[in-house]
Amino acid sequence: MRIAYFDCFAGISGDMTLGALVAAGWDPAALESLPSRLHLDGVKVSIGPARRGPFAATRVDVQVAEDQQPHRHLHHVAAILEAGELAPAVRARALAVFRRLAEAEAAVHGSTVERVHFHEVGAADALVDIVGAVEGLAALGVERVYSSPPRLGGGEVQSQHGLIPVPAPATALLLKGAPVELGPIPLELTTPTGAALLATFVESWERPPVFRITAIGTGAGSRDPHEIPNVLRVLIGEAQA
């Protein structure tokens, strides 16, 4: 069985996940074509090398033209996924991630899944992040995902709703029941999108079985704090019988 182990010593975000999967062997052309396959106007993916601390990593930047993004709710996202050029299994799992994210946002804001608004730019960004993560794992043949306890960070972060504590309320709710670490620096290390990916992908927070590593991918986050290398490592391998 092929497994992936997410080493979240600096947290996890959507773009870090994409970078790690490309670095682990996912064809970058497939990711670069994703906005057009989802029929997202004004969205472009850039992939390139980056360094975070001692790590050589892959940086994925999803560029979104704000003036071309409509107001989106979960049913809009579902329609985009349905119309997109995606494998059925990828479409279904991506929708499951979005539904988890919508349920968490609805709960923390006292709303409903149907009324939750995905911010215009964030919705386009999250579509590429989430669909890309699902598609990348599928392309690499991963059957099961394990993870270290993600570091959440600390301090405060600016949101659409003003200044909020880290972890963001949705992040904390998505990871309810999971082992996590606070700190070690006052930054948002695990984002709601990253938390939604883990909440959907990780079936059990147990230690992974013994496995033979066949690929290692390191994805860079957008920031470069001096306190910690801002990267996500994904180890892919074959579990030993």
Side-chain angles (χ1 to χ4, degrees):
M1 178 177 65
R2 180 166 291 183
I3 71 169
Y5 178 74
F6 281 52
D7 184 11
C8 304
F9 68 89
I12 179 174
S13 63
D15 56 349
M16 292 165 76
T17 303
L18 296 180
L21 295 177
V22 169
W26 183 32
D27 183 3
L31 176 56
E32 290 168 336
S33 71
L34 189 53
S36 64
R37 290 188 286 117
L38 291 173
H39 311 296
L40 292 175
D41 295 328
V43 181
K44 180 181 178 182
V45 174
S46 297
I47 303 171
R51 179 168 288 277
R52 297 291 183 266
F55 289 92
T58 298
R59 170 80 185 126
V60 173
D61 184 23
V62 181
Q63 300 156 3
V64 181
E66 296 190 37
D67 59 348
Q68 297 184 43
Q69 303 307 314
H71 193 83
R72 291 187 175 112
H73 293 82
L74 183 60
H75 69 273
H76 296 118
V77 170
I80 289 171
L81 296 176
E82 185 61 33
E85 299 169 31
L86 306 170
V90 169
R91 181 181 296 112
R93 201 170 198 200
L95 182 58
V97 178
F98 265 105
R99 180 165 290 279
R100 277 185 183 268
L101 188 55
E103 288 171 348
E105 293 286 359
V108 300
H109 296 303
S111 184
T112 65
V113 169
E114 293 74 20
R115 292 172 61 89
V116 166
H117 167 219
F118 293 105
H119 182 250
E120 288 89 342
V121 177
D125 192 314
L127 274 160
V128 175
D129 287 347
I130 290 171
V131 177
V134 173
E135 192 169 83
L137 286 170
L140 293 171
V142 172
E143 300 170 71
R144 189 162 185 177
V145 174
Y146 295 84
S147 176
S148 69
R151 279 180 164 165
L152 306 184
E156 299 168 325
V157 65
Q158 191 67 39
S159 77
Q160 291 173 257
H161 307 282
L163 204 61
I164 59 174
V166 173
T171 298
L173 186 56
L174 283 160
L175 293 175
K176 184 179 179 180
V180 300
E181 293 183 23
L182 295 176
I185 58 176
L187 290 174
E188 184 182 39
L189 299 180
T190 294
T191 66
T193 298
L197 292 172
L198 289 181
T200 307
F201 293 163
V202 179
E203 297 176 18
S204 172
W205 288 90
E206 63 191 13
R207 292 173 60 88
V210 174
F211 67 103
R212 180 174 54 87
I213 297 174
T214 57
I216 302 171
T218 305
S222 59
R223 294 168 302 190
D224 190 13
H226 66 271
E227 298 95 336
I228 190 172
N230 190 24
V231 298
L232 169 70
R233 287 196 305 174
V234 175
L235 311 181
I236 294 176
E238 299 292 337
Q240 303 297 295

